Each structure stands twice: as C-alpha cells, then as structure tokens.
Amino acid sequence: MIKTYRTITAGLFLVVNCLAAANADHTPLDTEAMLDPAPAEMGSTADHSKFEQLEGPFEDATEVTAACLECHTEAAKQVHSSIHWHYEFQQPETEQDLGKKNVINNLCFGIAGNYQRCSSCHVGYGWEDHEFDFTAEEQVDCLVCHDTTGSYVKFPTSAGHPPYEDREFHGETIAAPDLAEVAQNVGPSSRETCGTCHFEGGGGDAVKHGDLDSSLIDPPYELDVHMSPEGADFTCSTCHTFSGHIQLGSRYKITMPEDERPVAADPHQKPACEACHGSEPHDSGIHDKLNQHSEFIACETCHVPEVARGGKPTRTLWDWSESGRMDDDGDPVVETEDGVPVYDGRKGRFEWREDYAPEYHWFDGNMHYTLLDDEIDPTETVTINRPMGDHDTPGAKIWPFTSMKGRQPYDKEHKTLLTAHLFGDEPSAYWQSYDWSEALAAGMEEAQKIGQTEKDFSGEYGFVDSIMHWPVAHMIAPAEDSLSCQSCHEPDGRMAGLEGLYVPGQDSHPRIERIGWWAIGLTLLAVLGHGSARYLLYRHKRSKQENSQEEAA
C-alpha cells in the first residue's frame, strides 16, 4: 500500500514539476555576451620577441625571471603574496592554518621531506628543503603560467626547475625547453598551463579530482559547456579571475555571492555560478520550481550528472598498507588493468572509477581539516577534510562531491596521522629503503621544521582508513544532459540518505502519508459526491420534463 501511495505521489509530483521544467526556458545563457567585451582579442601591447633581454641564451630558468622583472618590476612581489607561492591559507571560519604546507592528505601525505618532487607544481624554482627562501624574487617561475609554446615543462624531481638537457623519467624522455624561445612567446595563462598542475594533481592525469583532467584542454560541448570551444570557450582564469597575480576560488573556502543580484561577470563574486547566471537562473515556468530548488541546491548538483566523464578514470582508493611488494629482481611490482595501475610496489593498491554519480553533502563553502596534531580514533575512518554546514546552516546548499578513500600510516601511541619521507636519495626515503619506520621518522622531523606539527614520531605506527572529499565544480553538462526530476524524486534517488531533506517520491513519513491518503480519499469522495449530485439533478430535471410533457398531452 505504501509503495502504491509513493508511486502515485511521485507520479503526480513529477508530472507537475516536469511540466514546470518543460515550460522553463532551457535556452543556454548567452554567457559570451554577459562577459566583458573581449579584451583578450585585443592582444598584448608588447611583442616579447622584440625585447633584447629575452634573446638569451639562458643557462638557468632563474635568469629568465630576472629578465622578466626588468620590466615587470612588481610581479614577483605579487606572486609572493599568492597561495600558489607560499602554500599557506588561514581559514577564517575554522581559524585553521591550511594550504599545502600545513595539511595532510591520503595521496602522498604532504610536502615535508618530499620537496623536490612536490615542488614540480610550485610556481618557483629550487624549493629543495625547509630552508627555501620565500623572499627571493628570481626564484619565481613566470614561464609555467605564461608559456604559449607548449614546450615548457618542469622536470618531475628537480624542485621546480625545467630540464636543462634532455632527461629520462620512468622510461620517458623529457625534452629540455628552449628558454629563450619560451620567454619570447609568453602570453596569458591557458587551459594547458593551468592543467599542467591542476589536471595532474596526485601524481598523474585525473588522479586527484574526478572533474579535472586533460580532457578539459579541448573538451566537447557535451563535457563542459563553459570550457568547450563549441561553447563559451572559457579558460580557467575566466572564472578564477586573477588580480595582481592573486586568483579567486579556493577549495579551502568556496566564495558564495553576498547578495542576490543577477550580476554579469562580477569579478568580486567569481567563481560562483551566480556571478554570471544570477540567483534565479531559470525561467519561472509553472510554480517557479527550478529557481526554488536553487535556493538550497548548488547549480553543480544538477549540472554535473556524473564524475570523471571525460574518458579518463579517477582514483578512488589508495591503500599504502599493501606497498612494498617486489619482484624477483628486487624491483617494485606493478600491475595494471584497463590501462591504469591497480598495484604499485612503491605506492600500494589503487581503485579507479569513471563516469559515476557523485555523492552529495550539505556544504557552506568551508572545510574542516584533520591536521597532524589532531587526535584521531583509529577504530573509525578518519575524515581528513569534512564539508561544513547542514540543512540549518545559513547559505548551505547540497553540493556534489567526489571522495578518495585511503589507508595510511598513523602514530599508535599519539593517535595522530603521520607524514612520510617518500622521495629522495637519502636512505630514510621510503622509495629507497621501503622501511616505514625510517621514512615516518624523517617525514615527521621535516614536518616539525616547517611548522606543520609539534608532535614527534613515537616509533609505533599502524595503518588507518581515511577519506577525503572534493567538491565538484567542473565538467558542466548542457541543460538537456543535466539531472532529470526523476533522478532524485524516486525511491533510492540521488538524495537518498541525506539528512534534513524530505524528497517527494523518495521519502515517506507516516503522518504525511496519512494526510495524503485522506486527501486522496476526500478528493475521490468529492468527485463521487459531485458526480452523484449532478446525476440526481439531471434525473430530477428529466423527471420534471417528462411530467410536464404528460400533463400537456
């Protein structure tokens, strides 16, 4: 009976709301017109190939920076103020010190002790240890963001430097770029330059984020309506606007619009969708249902129907506890399935997923992190970064997320997470000795030197399950490919299990069901009563007519 009732109510609900959706205007917004008049098409006012300072030859990439700073005198100071440089962020709501210098993750744990490898995605040169000079202007890497030749690349283990001669890395030859050629052809950042790091997070293409991978360099319209050349043809910085080398948009604190103005590309409110689309992005239609949903559901929830849908799987599990298996030659065992590694003796066991539904959480834009000094319960899964907010939090909305599950080292005595020295030539590096005790002691010692923790390593370690959550904000599908009403408004729909939400068609409540049955019953009685009354009146009228005819006869 209950199932029948839910089916009836779900059907009625879907009919009404699908009519509303059908009457809503799904014509794609003219985002191009909403943006400022295309300043990029005006081109640069300087031809860098005509600058004598950039003719080279350059023996070292820092010489290129010195040449750039002869004209761009304030650029390095601006970069020094950005999170791309100092890797630090103080979260105003939680008052936690975050940024890559302070957080720990369940991929390669953190930068402490792994500087030369991790700093291949730092906008600088030479971050080799805890004594790196963050005030050195010539250490800023201008080319990694402004290269237009496609030939500039940082060598993966050279502390941010490019290769100065052709070098091998894991069997692949990485060509040394012509620094003078690159310097003479600099330009605005692009999907390619940003993607060099942000598509490769976690050590490879699509590893870290299910909504960021190299498929976004030249995406079809169906993958991302904003970044596709067939759509708005946005670059990353169209939304993540830079001002004085400081960009907007941070995963540590997502900026929400402060008012409900349907503004056109307000740079102070990017990268929120509302900055261009306004707070009522849909035509009102019947009952204005779609806009009512946007009051508590993020745009991405409907417009990113699946994660990792660009043809590249993303990593969803990283189990370090199984690392260290070697073959008969003493080399790390590597096993692959469908073209991706599922086991690597250096790193452990992996799982991957592609084109799958995200998970959903209430989210007010802030994340709370478990840091190295925070005590954990090793009998439970440790949530490393927890989306903050619930259904009662002002401004909180339902967001889509991907998650990375992990199994990583922790201190059995202190009950805290640990970081490890993985990369390097030192005997203490895990990828040299495969000795966790040595690697963890060295990693924690480096973490102390950069102020990441005050804890020592007790010498007793174990492995604990962990999970990280990443809000999904890219790979925006066309309206016709976004979630349908039925995706949520059906038994076991997308919002199943989410607290603080009653979804018609999915959820049931005894009182509401009784009210519904009473409403249905009363409606049927009313219909039957109305029909009976009309029939009796008809019969009465017909009888009077017949009597009148008989009397007249």
Side-chain angles (χ1 to χ4, degrees):
M1 184 69 74
I2 291 175
K3 185 175 180 181
T4 303
Y5 169 76
R6 290 172 65 186
T7 302
I8 293 171
T9 54
L12 292 172
F13 182 87
L14 287 174
V15 167
V16 171
N17 288 285
C18 288
L19 284 172
N23 281 276
D25 183 4
H26 282 301
T27 302
L29 290 176
D30 187 359
T31 51
E32 192 170 334
M34 296 172 71
L35 295 174
D36 296 329
E41 297 178 359
M42 297 171 62
S44 173
T45 57
D47 181 350
H48 288 78
S49 67
K50 296 179 179 178
F51 285 85
E52 182 180 349
Q53 296 95 323
L54 302 180
E55 291 179 354
F58 299 107
E59 299 296 325
D60 187 284
T62 59
E63 297 176 5
V64 178
T65 303
C68 298
L69 296 178
E70 289 186 30
C71 294
H72 302 280
T73 58
E74 304 306 304
K77 298 182 183 67
Q78 294 175 352
V79 173
H80 285 179
S81 300
S82 75
I83 195 172
H84 278 133
W85 174 261
H86 49 63
Y87 275 18
E88 293 179 294
F89 181 83
Q90 186 170 43
Q91 224 288 355
E93 273 71 20
T94 65
E95 298 184 348
Q96 289 186 300
D97 291 327
L98 305 178
K100 292 184 184 296
K101 272 182 68 176
N102 298 304
V103 301
I104 187 169
N105 59 58
N106 59 7
L107 293 96
C108 286
F109 312 134
I111 193 170
N114 305 303
Y115 308 101
Q116 291 183 324
R117 182 69 178 90
C118 294
S119 61
S120 63
C121 273
H122 182 237
V123 290
Y125 302 117
W127 190 355
E128 298 179 335
D129 53 38
H130 64 277
E131 295 181 337
F132 178 67
D133 183 3
F134 285 92
T135 67
E137 295 192 6
E138 70 277 7
Q139 300 296 103
V140 170
D141 184 352
C142 307
L143 302 181
V144 71
C145 297
H146 295 290
D147 171 43
T148 65
T149 68
S151 64
Y152 184 78
V153 61
K154 287 169 173 279
F155 194 75
T157 60
S158 291
H161 283 275
Y164 296 115
E165 58 184 19
D166 294 353
R167 295 178 61 183
E168 295 285 330
F169 184 76
H170 289 177
E172 178 186 355
T173 299
I174 300 180
D178 182 336
L179 294 177
E181 173 71 10
V182 177
Q184 291 176 338
N185 290 279
V186 293
S189 63
S190 62
R191 294 192 287 266
E192 289 87 346
T193 54
C194 297
T196 299
C197 287
H198 293 284
F199 296 162
E200 302 276 341
D205 192 7
V207 166
K208 187 175 181 180
H209 299 289
D211 63 335
L212 285 173
D213 61 44
S214 61
S215 65
L216 290 174
I217 290 178
D218 184 20
Y221 183 76
E222 293 73 20
L223 179 60
D224 192 296
V225 297
H226 296 122
M227 300 182 76
S228 171
E230 304 162 20
D233 200 18
F234 284 0
T235 65
C236 304
S237 60
T238 306
C239 293
H240 297 275
T241 312
F242 279 77
S243 178
H245 287 94
I246 307 295
Q247 89 289 347
L248 295 177
S250 167
R251 65 185 172 88
Y252 298 116
K253 178 176 173 55
I254 292 180
T255 306
M256 301 291 188
E258 295 178 352
D259 56 39
E260 297 182 351
R261 290 179 300 158
V263 293
D266 184 338
H268 301 295
Q269 294 193 343
K270 290 178 181 178
C273 303
E274 290 91 334
C276 288
H277 295 278
S279 57
E280 296 181 352
H282 304 98
D283 185 77
S284 57
I286 299 175
H287 302 312
D288 202 17
K289 282 297 179 185
L290 291 180
N291 286 326
Q292 290 176 16
H293 278 63
S294 67
E295 295 175 2
F296 60 95
I297 292 178
C299 304
E300 294 89 340
T301 299
C302 296
H303 290 276
V304 185
E306 282 83 28
V307 177
R309 56 191 192 87
K312 298 179 182 296
T314 187
R315 193 172 295 175
T316 55
L317 172 74
W318 191 327
D319 183 353
W320 279 95
S321 69
E322 299 187 28
S323 65
R325 185 152 53 94
M326 303 293 164
D327 62 19
D328 293 339
D329 296 325
D331 296 322
V333 170
V334 176
E335 298 171 348
T336 62
E337 290 181 7
D338 300 324
V340 294
V342 293
Y343 182 83
D344 186 329
R346 299 165 66 244
K347 302 176 180 178
R349 185 170 63 87
F350 308 129
E351 290 182 2
W352 303 76
R353 292 187 72 185
E354 180 179 356
D355 208 16
Y356 62 100
E359 58 190 61
Y360 301 94
H361 299 280
W362 288 100
F363 184 43
D364 67 1
N366 300 300
M367 285 281 195
H368 186 280
Y369 274 73
T370 300
L371 303 175
L372 282 180
D373 285 339
D374 295 330
E375 188 168 326
I376 64 169
D377 179 357
T379 65
E380 302 284 341
T381 297
V382 177
T383 301
I384 295 180
N385 62 341
R386 174 174 55 83
M388 295 177 62
D390 57 28
H391 52 89
D392 289 328
T393 304
K397 295 187 177 184
I398 299 169
W399 276 70
F401 282 80
T402 61
S403 63
M404 166 74 85
K405 296 178 180 177
R407 188 161 177 78
Q408 60 190 101
Y410 79 101
D411 192 306
K412 296 179 73 172
E413 180 177 327
H414 298 317
K415 292 185 173 51
T416 54
L417 295 174
L418 294 168
T419 190
H421 176 31
L422 299 172
F423 171 81
D425 297 329
E426 302 85 357
S428 61
Y430 182 71
W431 290 335
Q432 293 292 329
S433 65
Y434 292 92
D435 184 327
W436 276 115
S437 292
E438 292 288 331
L440 293 170
M444 292 299 288
E445 183 178 341
E446 285 297 323
Q448 287 181 326
K449 291 177 180 176
I450 62 173
Q452 189 178 6
T453 182
E454 296 178 353
K455 297 280 188 182
D456 292 317
F457 174 44
S458 71
E460 296 291 325
Y461 72 90
F463 288 88
V464 63
D465 292 329
S466 63
I467 190 168
M468 296 194 75
H469 301 285
W470 309 107
V472 174
H474 307 93
M475 296 187 180
I476 305 297
E480 59 269 24
D481 294 336
S482 59
L483 291 186
S484 66
C485 304
Q486 190 174 1
S487 300
C488 299
H489 296 284
E490 64 178 353
D492 299 322
R494 290 286 184 107
M495 300 296 137
L498 194 64
E499 295 183 356
L501 190 68
Y502 183 87
V503 183
Q506 171 189 276
D507 299 318
S508 61
H509 188 284
R511 182 173 300 174
I512 294 177
E513 288 179 5
R514 281 197 295 272
I515 294 173
W517 277 115
W518 273 105
I520 292 174
L522 291 173
T523 301
L524 288 175
L525 286 175
V527 170
L528 290 173
H530 177 75
S532 299
R534 288 183 65 91
Y535 178 75
L536 291 175
L537 288 173
Y538 167 77
R539 293 295 305 169
H540 178 70
K541 182 178 180 181
R542 184 68 181 270
S543 177
K544 285 180 66 177
Q545 289 176 343
E546 291 175 352
N547 291 334
S548 298
Q549 290 173 354
E550 288 176 1
E551 290 175 0

